[in-house]
Amino acid sequence: MKNPMQPRRNDGPMGINAPHEKASDRKAVFLRLLPYWAEHKGLMFLMLLCALATTASSLVTPWLIGRAIDSCIHLSQQTTVDFVLLVKYLIVLALIYIASSAANWAQEYGMVYVSQRIVNKLRSQMMEHMQNLDLKYHDTNSRGDIMSRFLNDTELMKDGLGQTLIQCVTTIVSMVGMIVTMCALNLTLTGLICMSIPLVIFLSRFIIARSRKYFAAQQTALGNLNSVIEESINGIKVIRSFGREDKQQEFFDEINNKLKVAGTRAQINSGLMMPLLRVLDNLTYILVAVVGGSMALEGILTIGVIQTFLLYTRHFLRPVNQIASQINGVQSAFAGAERVFAMLDQKPSITDSQDAVSISKVQGLIEFKNVIFGYNSQKPILKDISFTARPGEVVAIVGSTGAGKTTLMNLLTRFYDVDSGSILLDGTDIRKIKISNLRNSLGIVLQDPVLFSGTIEKNIAYGRPSATLDMVKNAAGLAKADVFIDRLPQKYQTELVRQGENISNGQRQLLTIARAILSDAPILIFDEATSNIDTHTEILIQKAINNLTVGRTCFIIAHRLSTIRNADKILVIDNGQIAEQGNHDELLAKRGRYYEIYTSQFSVG
């Protein structure tokens, strides 16, 4: 049996059952991040100087140590050792190490500063972009997966890519500097050390290519797991009411195990890098020691030079080893970056046209002309819908569940665009009207009330932030919400938590109605607005709505026909078409579909 709390299955590119997003070119992702780093180019330049100073110290110190050893060996052949010279070497080395540590700390601090601000900007861009995406994107992507992109993926980017740019530069500079210095000392030993470079490149490319897909799968699985957790928390009452705890746990374990498998494969494959490089590092070290020792015995090289080469052997592969040790984080960061940019690359299809206009004074004339629409273009939900709502009219829309009632309003608000036909507002196609202008002309009350964290006053004034407290109270009075608000200890300053869970569902709906009233929009849409309200309050709300509709075009989607008896026009939607239209008495007299719906709710003589 299908789990009732199982996240939606969809065909979207990032849906829980959609195939994993194709791993993009890491170079392309890296280049795309460069402009974010470039915004902090001054600080990045200082960090680069610090990194170069650290690199310079790693080049100088082995040479100084070798000179110190050779000096001591040379001086030990005399009757006394020049300790003053030895102390000078030690002091210089100590100062270099202190300066190197300070530069390294400054580099780390700067990267934390920059990476935090880059992630902050990315999240801000994601939030702005998400709010502009079509409703279809939100319908086909789970909230948990979207949240995972905002939180987990950006956090991985901060942790994994913070040092990448600087480290790439310093690694190249360090390796080139060491090669030049070693070549000046001895070409044979330099050649032995450089033999490891092709092997390092081959191992890195092989392991990164192998583990890349697993890190992408890991991030996708993490997004799916977040979806399950989020839906389980939201639906905990339903889960317990139906006794589905065990089944929900099974479903959670299934997704959790997928994350475990993907994470294990990613970590195991990428974890091969460090051990293999250590083996290569040690083999190179042994080879240099053996060959260098032989050359020292033959008098070709001094002990100090050999010690310098041995230190360079460790330093030469250290930058590569450092990158290898961070390969897990870097791989995860790139996988996270791909998911973030995949979201930012989603293009909204509903945008303002180049010739979009604003209507200064909306009269409220709505015309649907031969509208055809389907969420799937192969299966239209609305079929050749045509009707007119004149300014000040109350138009009720009724019909069975799934008939397309709410879809009509989704098209009017341009949450979706028609497949064919047109919708006109005051004679202008709404696709030619600026979206902000269109939606500011609409006051909407949804079936499921949506509130935000904050006070009751701020929630009522959400669509009109400049409203005074007296205006808020007046709207609450018209919506009959003042009755329960005045009983609260802090009244309009009461803080709502988690979408208003500290008040009842009916009270939440009253607040959303008050919010629509305060918006003072010329067109009002009530989508099952009274479904969560008791009969007594419904009567009061109906009186308020009757007062509100004066001079406004009003659409009421309702199952309770008692709320629409006084509507100027009633549209009966059946199978995506207008089966009947007229007022209450006219439709009852026809004894058609409306009559059937009505008599199923009331007994008539």
Side-chain angles (χ1 to χ4, degrees), residues 179 182-183 186-199 280-281 283-295 301 309-310 313 316-317:
I179 290 173
M182 289 188 295
C183 285
N186 186 272
L187 292 175
T188 302
L189 293 182
T190 302
L192 291 176
I193 295 175
C194 289
M195 285 173 56
S196 62
I197 295 177
L199 290 174
L280 184 60
D281 193 1
L283 290 175
T284 304
Y285 188 88
I286 293 171
L287 187 60
V288 170
V290 171
V291 175
S294 300
M295 297 175 75
L301 295 176
F309 266 96
L310 291 175
T313 302
F316 188 70
L317 291 180

Side-chain angles (χ1 to χ4, degrees), residues 383-398:
K383 308 164 188 175
D384 197 26
I385 296 291
S386 298
F387 69 88
T388 299
R390 302 189 182 282
E393 276 192 340
V394 176
V395 178
I397 305 173
V398 301

Side-chain angles (χ1 to χ4, degrees), residues 10 118 127 192 209 249 251 282 304 314 332 335 405 411 421 466 519 551 578:
N10 59 77
I118 288 175
M127 186 66 180
L192 291 176
Q249 183 65 44
F251 181 64
N282 291 329
R314 293 299 192 197
S332 296
K405 304 184 297 298
L411 296 177
S466 61
S519 70
I578 298 179

Side-chain angles (χ1 to χ4, degrees), residues 382 396-406 408 447 527-528 556-561 564 570-580 587 593-598 600-601:
L382 300 178
I397 305 173
V398 301
S400 58
T401 301
K405 304 184 297 298
T406 299
L408 283 172
Q447 180 178 0
D527 187 355
E528 292 288 347
I556 302 175
I557 299 174
H559 279 120
R560 295 183 188 176
L561 300 191
I564 60 169
I570 300 173
L571 304 178
V572 182
I573 308 297
D574 188 32
N575 194 28
Q577 296 178 312
I578 298 179
E580 297 174 324
L587 293 177
R593 180 60 180 148
Y594 181 80
Y595 179 84
E596 293 175 3
I597 299 173
Y598 186 81
S600 67
Q601 297 184 19

